[in-house]
């Protein structure tokens, strides 16, 4: 049972990450390679506050969301307001920079050794989450809140305009709407949500090191999104389930762990190819990834 | 004068890496409340001229003054917000959005570009959006009458409508915004006779609300019926701009573009 609870917590964290990725890639056509960097900033910054201060989750989340959101603005402006390929390269560079800092700023991040013994988060009235089940329930609450937020965004006039920008940006601009402003906001919210996932992860595991927040991780989140599908709520949800649950099923087949790890990569790769080929909008998505 | 184009020059580089001057000093005044047609051969630069006005093409010299603003340094969305609406050549409804959503997009951007405020003030956002919806329905009734068929199709996907219907509805979308000037790029091209007549009546209706209309068109009958004046773009300049009344239109058969040019030159000389 503990094992299943563990898987479900990880699943909830990935649901948040993949929903966040959908906001940039699925809704605004911005291919980001730095989802894991924001996830990492959230984890490390969250850890810093969990270690040093006696404040509740909401306060830490507010700080982390502001920090990751504002950082996203720097990337937005640096890439000339999200123009084309500049943006992809800017996010790639950012991902590399964050990883390098996490790996080398030993006094703060512990370098490659990471940080262990992170205190768990405290909720209302500073009640500390103790044990796996409170963490499970709490991760459910945060994942559900994320889904609710995404649903509201997709249905709002903002979401409507995002969907329109995705198919015909010029037509939207000609109605007087500032498309880069919309994209900047989408990227901002996406970064902020990824940061929250980082706090959950750090507080639950409770050990982090830079290897959790690499470019590979960013690509992993992207694969989950593309397999599940983009542009709606269901797609990312299904994608997260797929990438988190499949490897666990492989475990039961009884393969040696090193082979299972390789096999997992192969399965992800194959699934991605099969999905792109047979169902470009993903298993449950509504939109096709742009070929631009 | 609502729109003044002064000595506009622009050039492009073709596939053989040769530079050619497409516009070589276009000057034109558009009066407030007027309906002006722009004619010119294929590739003469009509769409490019519209792109210069809308701000999508910035690499030009000369000036575009709209309602007292020099548009040169404004981004396209800011130019649109000054009150310039645009129907793109072959432009259609946006697929993946319902008809209603397409029409709502035509209303001015209230606060939907600030997602946080729209999430924090859901009530206000819903109210503003409801107003856009009502405005959309109002315009549909105004253009197509009570109980028209589009009212039953508000939630159909934009791409489910025929090409001609999408052109009509794109015009309807322009009606919802509060524009001063509409740039219509070949509003009737590719549509059948039935839609042709409807488009004509819609443009007349829009004009009667005081909006200024500047449109690109090849069909001389259409121009004669609705335009106050007609400008000809040829060899990179506006060679003619005169009231349509001064043109001896041949009512029996629509004039060909060449005949019209000849006639205009003949009358001027
Ligand atoms: N972005 C561009 N790059 C290169 N050439 C262009 C570009 N836009 C337009 N042109 C050229 O300018 C010419 C005029 O185009 P356009 O303004 O669309 O003509 P029109 O609308 O009068 O038919 C065309 O011959 C086209 O090759
Ligand atoms: Mg054209």
């Amino acid at each position: 049972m503990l094992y299943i609870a563990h898987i479900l917590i990880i699943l909830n964290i990935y649901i948040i990450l993949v929903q966040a990725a959908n906001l940039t890639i699925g809704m605004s056509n911005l291919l980001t390679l730095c989802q894991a960097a924001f996830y990492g900033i959230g984890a490390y910054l969250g850890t810093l506050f969990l270690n040093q201060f006696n404040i509740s989750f909401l306060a830490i989340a507010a700080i982390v969301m502001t920090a990751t959101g504002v950082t996203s603005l720097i990337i937005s402006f640096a890439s000339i307001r999200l123009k084309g390929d500049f943006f992809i390269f800017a996010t790639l560079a950012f991902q590399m920079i964050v990883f390098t800092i996490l790996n080398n700023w030993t006094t703060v991040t512990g370098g490659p050794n990471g940080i262990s013994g992170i205190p768990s988060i405290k909720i209302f009235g500073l009640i500390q989450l103790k044990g796996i089940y409170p963490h499970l329930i709490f991760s459910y609450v945060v994942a559900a809140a994320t889904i609710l937020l995404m649903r509201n965004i997709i249905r709002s006039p903002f979401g409507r305009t995002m969907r329109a920008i995705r198919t015909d940006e010029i037509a939207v601009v000609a109605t007087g709407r500032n498309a880069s402003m919309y994209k900047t906001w989408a990227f901002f919210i996406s970064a902020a949500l990824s940061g929250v996932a980082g706090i959950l992860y750090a507080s639950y595991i409770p050990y982090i090191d830079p290897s959790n927040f690499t470019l590979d991780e960013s690509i992993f989140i992207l694969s989950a999104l593309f397999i599940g599908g983009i542009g709606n709520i269901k797609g990312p949800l299904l994608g997260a389930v797929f990438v988190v649950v499949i490897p666990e099923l492989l475990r039961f087949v009884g393969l040696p762990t090193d082979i299972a790890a390789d096999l997992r990569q192969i399965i992800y790769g194959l699934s991605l190819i099969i999905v792109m080929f047979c169902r470009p909008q993903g298993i449950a998505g509504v939109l096709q990834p742009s070929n631009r | 004068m609502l729109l003044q184009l002064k000595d506009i020059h622009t050039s492009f580089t073709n596939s053989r890496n040769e530079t050619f001057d497409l516009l070589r000093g276009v000057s034109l005044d558009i009066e407030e409340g007027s309906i002006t047609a722009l004619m010119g051969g294929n590739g003469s630069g009509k769409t490019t001229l519209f792109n210069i006005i809308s701000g999508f093409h910035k690499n030009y010299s000369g000036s575009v003054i709209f309602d007292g603003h020099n548009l040169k340094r404004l981004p396209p969305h800011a130019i649109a917000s000054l009150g310039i609406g645009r129907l793109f050549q072959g432009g259609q409804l946006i697929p993946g959005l319902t008809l209603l959503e397409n029409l709502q997009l035509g209303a001015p951007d209230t606060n939907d570009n600030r997602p946080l405020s729209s999430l924090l003030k859901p009530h206000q956002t819903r109210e503003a959006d409801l107003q856009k919806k009502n405005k959309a329905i109002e315009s549909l009734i105004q253009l197509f009458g009570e109980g028209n068929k589009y009212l039953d199709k508000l939630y159909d996907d934009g791409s489910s409508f025929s090409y001609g219907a999408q052109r009509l509805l794109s015009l309807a979308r322009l009606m919802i915004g509060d524009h001063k000037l509409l740039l219509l790029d070949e509003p009737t091209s590719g549509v059948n006779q039935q839609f042709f007549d409807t488009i004509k009546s819609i443009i007349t209706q829009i004009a009667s609300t005081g909006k200024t209309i500047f449109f690109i068109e090849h069909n001389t009958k259409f121009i004669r019926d609705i335009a106050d004046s007609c400008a000809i773009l040829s060899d990179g300049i506006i060679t003619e701009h005169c009231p349509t009344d001064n043109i001896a239109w041949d009512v029996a058969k629509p004039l060909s573009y060449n005949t019209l040019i000849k006639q205009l030159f003949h009358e001027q000389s």
Side-chain angles (χ1 to χ4, degrees):
Chain A
M1 274 326 278
L2 280 181
Y3 168 69
I4 292 180
H6 168 76
I7 302 301
L8 291 176
I9 293 174
I10 299 296
L11 175 62
N12 285 333
I13 291 173
Y14 274 95
I15 286 175
I16 301 168
L17 288 170
V18 183
Q19 292 287 357
N22 184 38
L23 198 52
T24 49
I25 299 150
M27 300 287 292
S28 10
N29 236 350
L30 294 169
L31 189 65
T32 62
L33 294 172
C34 63
Q35 202 84 32
F38 291 123
Y39 181 35
I41 294 176
Y44 276 87
L45 200 59
T47 299
L48 192 75
F49 280 93
L50 288 169
N51 266 332
Q52 308 280 333
F53 304 98
N54 189 31
I55 52 178
S56 77
F57 171 77
L58 277 183
I60 296 180
I63 294 165
V64 163
M65 288 172 91
T66 311
T68 43
V70 169
T71 314
S72 84
L73 292 182
I74 297 170
I75 302 175
S76 294
F77 288 107
S79 60
I80 324 176
R81 300 203 129 224
L82 320 170
K83 285 269 151 39
D85 301 341
F86 276 120
F87 181 75
I88 302 178
F89 284 111
T91 60
L92 178 62
F94 178 68
Q95 173 66 51
M96 304 307 227
I97 292 168
V98 169
F99 178 78
T100 309
I101 292 175
L102 295 183
N103 215 21
N104 292 294
W105 193 12
T106 334
T107 47
V108 176
T109 67
N113 295 329
I115 304 172
S116 53
I118 303 165
S120 22
I121 42 187
K122 303 184 185 76
I123 52 173
F124 351 84
L126 302 178
I127 306 165
Q128 191 153 30
L129 296 184
K130 284 212 183 74
I132 194 162
Y133 291 112
H135 269 107
L136 175 60
I137 293 168
F138 190 68
S139 69
Y140 262 124
V141 171
V142 181
T146 305
I147 289 176
L148 205 68
L149 177 75
M150 291 301 298
R151 202 190 65 146
N152 280 341
I153 289 178
I154 290 178
R155 290 186 181 176
S156 71
F158 175 78
R160 173 173 72 222
T161 309
M162 293 295 325
R163 282 182 286 134
I165 289 173
R166 203 181 174 283
T167 27
D168 196 345
E169 178 164 343
I170 296 206
V172 174
V173 170
T175 69
R177 286 165 173 80
N178 184 350
S180 5
M181 179 82 145
Y182 282 81
K183 292 181 182 177
T184 305
W185 271 118
F187 189 43
F188 184 102
I189 298 172
S190 173
L193 288 176
S194 308
V196 173
I199 312 173
L200 288 185
Y201 182 79
S203 123
Y204 165 62
I205 285 295
Y207 160 77
I208 52 173
D209 73 60
S211 71
N212 296 319
F213 311 108
T214 57
L215 177 61
D216 279 5
E217 179 69 18
S218 286
I219 294 174
F220 180 71
I221 298 166
L222 278 191
S223 322
L225 177 64
F226 284 141
I227 291 172
I230 59 181
N232 61 5
I233 304 282
K234 261 187 296 174
L237 209 58
L238 222 79
V241 172
F242 188 88
V243 298
V244 173
V245 175
I246 287 285
E248 301 306 327
L249 294 180
L250 279 181
R251 238 178 253 235
F252 288 111
V253 183
L255 291 168
T257 39
D258 52 337
I259 295 184
D262 288 342
L263 193 61
R264 196 166 69 194
Q265 297 296 331
I266 294 174
I267 289 182
Y268 291 151
L270 274 180
S271 321
L272 202 53
I273 293 170
I274 294 172
V275 166
M276 287 289 138
F277 201 71
C278 304
R279 226 186 121 73
Q281 70 272 45
I283 299 173
V286 288
L287 295 167
Q288 300 199 358
S290 157
N291 50 10
R292 266 186 298 143
Chain B
M1 210 57 64
L2 186 63
L3 178 72
Q4 281 183 292
L5 307 176
K6 282 192 222 150
D7 199 29
I8 292 176
H9 289 255
T10 194
S11 49
F12 283 116
T13 311
N14 67 14
S15 49
R16 270 165 283 133
N17 237 347
E18 299 155 350
T19 305
F20 65 96
D21 298 324
L22 182 64
L23 302 180
R24 315 160 190 234
V26 168
S27 296
L28 186 66
D29 291 343
I30 306 277
E31 259 176 82
E32 188 153 3
S34 66
I35 306 184
T36 308
L38 178 64
M39 293 187 85
N42 270 330
S44 59
K46 304 180 296 297
T47 299
T48 304
L49 189 62
F50 272 19
N51 283 340
I52 287 173
I53 301 170
S54 306
F56 290 112
H57 183 71
K58 285 290 184 195
N59 184 16
Y60 66 92
S61 69
S63 62
V64 182
I65 313 288
F66 172 74
D67 210 13
H69 303 268
N70 188 333
L71 303 187
K72 181 91 194 214
R73 310 195 53 175
L74 293 177
H77 71 87
I79 292 177
S81 300
L82 288 177
I84 301 185
R86 172 94 184 249
L87 177 73
F88 288 95
Q89 186 167 2
Q92 306 236 263
L93 295 178
I94 296 176
L97 266 63
T98 63
L99 170 59
L100 178 62
E101 289 179 320
N102 264 284
L103 294 174
Q104 283 171 315
L105 214 51
D109 198 358
T110 41
N111 69 345
D112 35 335
N113 64 344
R114 287 183 289 276
L116 295 190
S117 70
S118 83
L119 288 170
L120 295 176
K121 300 181 209 155
H123 181 71
Q124 261 165 281
T125 312
R126 221 173 302 130
E127 280 300 306
D129 218 42
L130 201 62
Q131 270 177 26
K132 288 183 192 170
K133 179 178 170 179
N134 291 337
K135 221 168 163 187
I137 293 172
E138 226 170 81
S139 315
L140 284 180
I141 292 175
Q142 203 178 333
L143 292 176
F144 308 110
E146 288 290 343
N148 68 73
K149 61 182 174 196
Y150 299 118
L151 293 173
D152 301 329
K153 296 183 176 169
L154 285 176
Y155 298 97
D156 288 9
D157 194 281
S159 59
S160 68
F161 295 89
S162 74
Y163 177 81
Q166 291 195 40
R167 296 294 280 170
L168 282 187
L169 294 164
S170 304
L171 278 170
R173 173 164 70 196
L174 287 177
M175 209 154 140
I176 294 161
D178 27 52
H179 303 110
K180 299 192 182 89
L181 171 69
L182 296 182
L183 303 174
L184 312 178
D185 199 339
E186 308 199 10
T188 66
S189 76
V191 306
N192 62 28
Q193 188 61 43
Q194 173 216 337
F195 284 122
F196 186 92
D197 292 336
T198 318
I199 287 176
K200 192 150 78 180
S201 86
I202 290 181
I203 295 180
T204 322
Q205 274 192 64
I206 296 178
S208 71
T209 64
K211 294 183 186 189
T212 307
I213 293 179
F214 187 20
F215 70 109
I216 296 173
E217 186 56 60
H218 292 296
N219 189 307
T220 51
K221 183 169 179 305
F222 188 82
I223 294 174
R224 187 200 60 193
D225 288 352
I226 72 164
D228 305 316
S229 72
C230 178
I232 308 278
L233 177 62
S234 177
D235 288 327
I237 55 167
I238 299 291
T239 51
E240 298 298 331
H241 183 201
C242 65
T244 42
D245 295 344
N246 293 5
I247 305 171
W249 306 93
D250 186 341
V251 182
K253 52 179 190 319
L255 293 174
S256 79
Y257 169 67
N258 284 334
T259 343
L260 179 68
I261 300 265
K262 267 189 216 134
Q263 210 189 74
L264 284 166
F265 277 98
H266 180 72
E267 287 208 344
Q268 297 292 315
S269 54

